Amino acid sequence: MSGDNAAIVGSAVGDRLAVLSRRAFSFLLDWMTWGYVAYCVMYLLNHYWYTVHVDWWGTLTLPSWGWSVVVLATLELAVWSRSLGRSLGQRAIGVALQDAAGGRITAGRRLVRILLWHVSVPLFAAGFWRGGDPWHDRVAGMGLRPVSPDPERPGRRALATQWGIVALFLGVLTLWVGWLIIGINFQILARRAAQTGRIWGEMLRPDFRYFTTPDPVFSLRALSYSILDLAVVTVFMALTATILGSVIAFPLSFVGARNVMGFSPSGWAAYGIVRGFFNVFRSIETIIWGSIFAVWVGYGTTLAGILALTVHTIAALGKLYSEQVEGVSPGPLEAVWAAGGSRVQVVRHAVIPQVLPSFWAFTLYRWDINVRMSTVIALVGGGGIGDMLFYYKNQGDWPKVGAVVIVIVAIVWAMDYISGRLRERIA
Amino acid sequence: MANPYLVVEHLTKVYERGQVLALRDLSFAVEKGEFLVVIGLSGSGKSTLLRCINRLIEPTRGRIWLDGVDLTRLSQARMRRVRRRIGMIFQQFNLVDRSTAIGNVLTGRLGYLPGWRALLGWFPKEDREKALANLERVGLRDKAYVRVDQLSGGQRQRVGIARALMQEPEILLADEPVSALDPATSHSIMQYLEQMNRQDGATVIASLHFLSLARRYGTRIIALKDGQLVFDGLPTAIDNAKFKEIYGEDAEEVEVR
């Protein structure tokens, strides 16, 4: 926010744009906060005293002139709260309105600033482009200045209390409106308990008839399976996906690390592509990948499940690996460069020795996740023991469901234990 | 007179952000076999200067001639080949903590290894023997298969020296090799550098904090202040007035014995 800073570094116009965008961001934050409060108030008004129509999913339906009123009213509230120095947005970028001479800012001058704002800002921050503060700030004799980070600064305690009250208010408002919007009815839990009791009872008397002998009713592609068969299939699905995924993620992770790729344009491009791939593919959950591959390679096939787990494993492990690579200490890298090593040699002899233990830990952890995921991936047609679970559930054969659930719990618990022990050993 | 071994001409380094002038128009020459000590306050540009010589940091302007070759004009691949002849020792040792001493020493040989062998980490038998011999030379033969995070500071720096020895360097850059060590260990490390200088005929360029060490080991001293050369001459030529000029008016000389 200071003009002197702008003089030292870089181009003046670029800097002024940066300052302006910071101001705009903080203003937007204030505006949105007030918008949110307005929305909540409107929702509550509607809920308790029907005045404005709100759809059941919480969308406001206002008369055609209503939206402009809301937009302008919240805008006005944002201006007032900023001028009075009660602004979340200013706080977010670490600034406060301060008197040029350091004195107290009187209410009158704050009012002047509010009035002038309406003239100055519609003219696209008039006066701002000459450097320094916009016109409305200058005339009112104040400006946005960085707040001192000094924790002993006078009045800090009072300020903290004020912000606490604001946060509490917003929190309570959110909880209140949120409760009404999702409309939970906890009474149903108690009311239906009796009906569910029968299922619980049956599941607690598990039927292990088909633990080792194949169930003739449950069959896939003319082969029938026992619970144990599919349990083994599930564990190997997870294992295959983890190995495949980590083998592919390993080389990619170095391409997705800033410190390895350097700062050449081609380095940036490769980094961007790989990191983008990681982020996009990771944000699509395994279950969604499962439904995609089930359509692609066949519903209920283990291949669909393995592919789904693998794709998500590559992206998730790739990101974790890359972050480890970026966190290595740069000294050994420098030493290998200095000895005449190439980029590949730097990775092999300076980076990999540093990251290998954490790579192992992440891979084991991922195996753990994959075992858990592979038990439910059948829900979308990914094969494995989940297939059997959902088959029996749909049949209403609860004792057999109980048996399968117990086996799943045993598998997950065992894998959890093993990978936990191995990780302990490595760390 | 033949051309000097290493010539630095009008070397300037500007860091892009904040426009910090790390080095301002430095020029000096180093003869083969010299033990040149670079002194100056922290932030005076000593590290930048050393890293510009082997181009771990790209100089902004100026030339560096090594043995009649302009290093600043070399491609990255050619520069890698030149770096094999330039050993380097670091203030923070720059070892891979999780590797063994011999594993770290062997990385000094990487520049000579074909790509596929380096990728697999298969060092030839001669290199392994050489690594053991060099560890023997710095008195760490028995620690060869110990992880370096188990070693003390002085031992780590000796591993660093053994790594540099693997390159059979013609020129050795030492970036504050002893500032993380205690005085007694400092001398033992400096003596290894002296030995490389006298016996192996390596030209040494070392940056040091303590003037007493510089006087004791250097055959010549250059001093930097704010990236500029403020002194270039024999160790004996630094008197009290010169000292104050280099380190500022309030400085007091501290001895390392």
Side-chain angles (χ1 to χ4, degrees), chain A residues 8-10 329-346 348-358 426-427, chain B residues 18-19 51 54 56 80 83-84 86 88 90 93-99 107-111 113-115 117-121 123 163 167:
Chain A
I8 301 167
V9 210
S329 76
L333 280 71
E334 195 183 25
V336 175
W337 283 120
S342 62
R343 190 185 303 274
V344 175
Q345 289 173 336
V346 168
R348 167 65 184 81
H349 291 277
V351 179
I352 290 180
Q354 290 191 63
V355 296
L356 215 51
S358 44
I426 286 165
Chain B
Q19 305 190 340
R51 282 170 173 74
N54 66 358
L56 284 182
R80 276 213 305 277
R83 276 189 199 138
R84 301 193 301 204
I86 308 177
M88 193 160 187
F90 304 87
F93 322 131
N94 289 2
L95 305 173
V96 179
D97 283 344
R98 292 176 172 279
S99 292
T107 58
R109 208 64 203 161
L110 279 175
L113 229 55
R117 276 200 98 124
L119 202 59
L120 293 170
F123 289 91
R163 179 174 62 190
Q167 293 173 245

Side-chain angles (χ1 to χ4, degrees), chain A residues 30-64:
Chain A
D30 278 334
W31 195 0
M32 276 160 57
T33 310
W34 281 108
Y36 179 67
V37 171
Y39 169 83
C40 290
V41 168
M42 213 97 68
Y43 191 93
L44 292 174
L45 279 175
N46 170 67
H47 190 268
Y48 293 107
W49 310 275
Y50 184 88
T51 51
V52 185
H53 177 70
V54 183
D55 289 331
W56 64 269
W57 60 83
T59 325
L60 280 172
T61 316
L62 290 179
S64 53

Side-chain angles (χ1 to χ4, degrees), chain A residues 369-389:
Chain A
I369 293 174
N370 280 350
V371 169
R372 267 179 281 139
M373 284 311 300
S374 62
T375 57
V376 293
I377 197 126
L379 187 63
V380 293
I385 199 168
D387 246 348
M388 201 169 221
L389 180 75

Side-chain angles (χ1 to χ4, degrees), chain B residues 107-163:
Chain B
T107 58
R109 208 64 203 161
L110 279 175
Y112 293 95
L113 229 55
W116 62 272
R117 276 200 98 124
L119 202 59
L120 293 170
W122 287 352
F123 289 91
K125 196 152 173 285
E126 311 88 78
D127 283 357
R128 298 192 155 271
E129 280 162 8
K130 208 168 156 197
L132 288 175
N134 283 327
L135 279 169
E136 175 93 62
R137 183 168 163 187
V138 296
L140 286 174
R141 174 65 187 80
D142 55 326
K143 302 279 186 197
Y145 295 97
V146 175
R147 267 170 61 153
V148 292
D149 52 8
Q150 312 283 324
L151 300 180
S152 70
Q155 288 172 329
R156 284 164 167 229
Q157 192 57 292
R158 273 142 71 193
V159 173
I161 289 172
R163 179 174 62 190

Side-chain angles (χ1 to χ4, degrees), chain A residues 145-319:
Chain A
R145 302 275 173 269
V147 179
S148 148
D150 178 14
E152 298 301 322
R153 172 163 53 91
R156 197 190 143 88
R157 240 187 133 69
L159 206 66
T161 314
Q162 284 173 15
W163 286 113
I165 292 168
V166 169
L168 193 71
F169 167 71
L170 284 176
V172 168
L173 198 64
T174 304
L175 208 64
W176 188 359
V177 173
W179 185 265
L180 296 176
I181 286 177
I182 55 179
I184 318 174
N185 185 354
F186 276 118
Q187 290 162 350
I188 212 157
L189 249 177
R191 217 185 307 142
R192 295 268 184 88
Q195 297 167 41
T196 328
R198 181 182 58 83
I199 294 175
W200 277 107
E202 286 183 22
M203 273 175 67
L204 286 174
R205 280 189 294 279
D207 178 1
F208 276 106
R209 197 179 319 163
Y210 298 119
F211 184 58
T212 48
T213 42
D215 181 355
V217 180
F218 179 80
S219 59
L220 293 165
R221 281 168 303 285
L223 279 172
S224 45
Y225 292 93
S226 68
I227 296 176
L228 201 62
D229 285 341
L230 284 178
V232 172
V233 165
T234 301
V235 170
F236 276 94
M237 268 170 70
L239 194 63
T240 314
T242 310
I243 292 171
L244 272 178
S246 54
V247 164
I248 297 169
F250 183 77
L252 284 180
S253 66
F254 298 104
V255 184
R258 198 54 290 157
N259 53 347
V260 173
M261 291 315 286
F263 295 92
S264 63
S266 57
W268 269 111
Y271 167 84
I273 289 167
V274 169
R275 269 302 173 95
F277 165 81
F278 287 161
N279 284 332
V280 169
F281 280 56
R282 202 171 47 96
S283 58
I284 302 173
E285 263 299 327
T286 317
I287 290 288
I288 299 168
W289 282 117
S291 49
I292 292 169
F293 283 114
V295 176
W296 192 341
V297 299
Y299 193 90
T301 54
T302 45
L303 180 62
I306 289 172
L307 286 174
L309 290 169
T310 307
V311 168
H312 198 255
T313 302
I314 293 171
L317 274 185
K319 182 159 164 72

Side-chain angles (χ1 to χ4, degrees), chain B residues 149-203:
Chain B
D149 52 8
Q150 312 283 324
L151 300 180
S152 70
Q155 288 172 329
R156 284 164 167 229
Q157 192 57 292
R158 273 142 71 193
V159 173
I161 289 172
R163 179 174 62 190
L165 280 170
M166 288 301 282
Q167 293 173 245
E168 294 170 351
E170 292 173 22
I171 179 165
L172 183 73
L173 307 173
D175 179 23
E176 302 196 8
V178 296
S179 38
L181 305 174
D182 61 69
T185 323
S186 295
H187 274 295
S188 101
I189 294 296
M190 289 308 295
Q191 274 153 17
Y192 282 116
L193 296 189
E194 194 173 38
Q195 204 184 25
M196 284 174 80
N197 180 238
R198 300 249 171 97
Q199 288 177 15
D200 307 56
T203 308

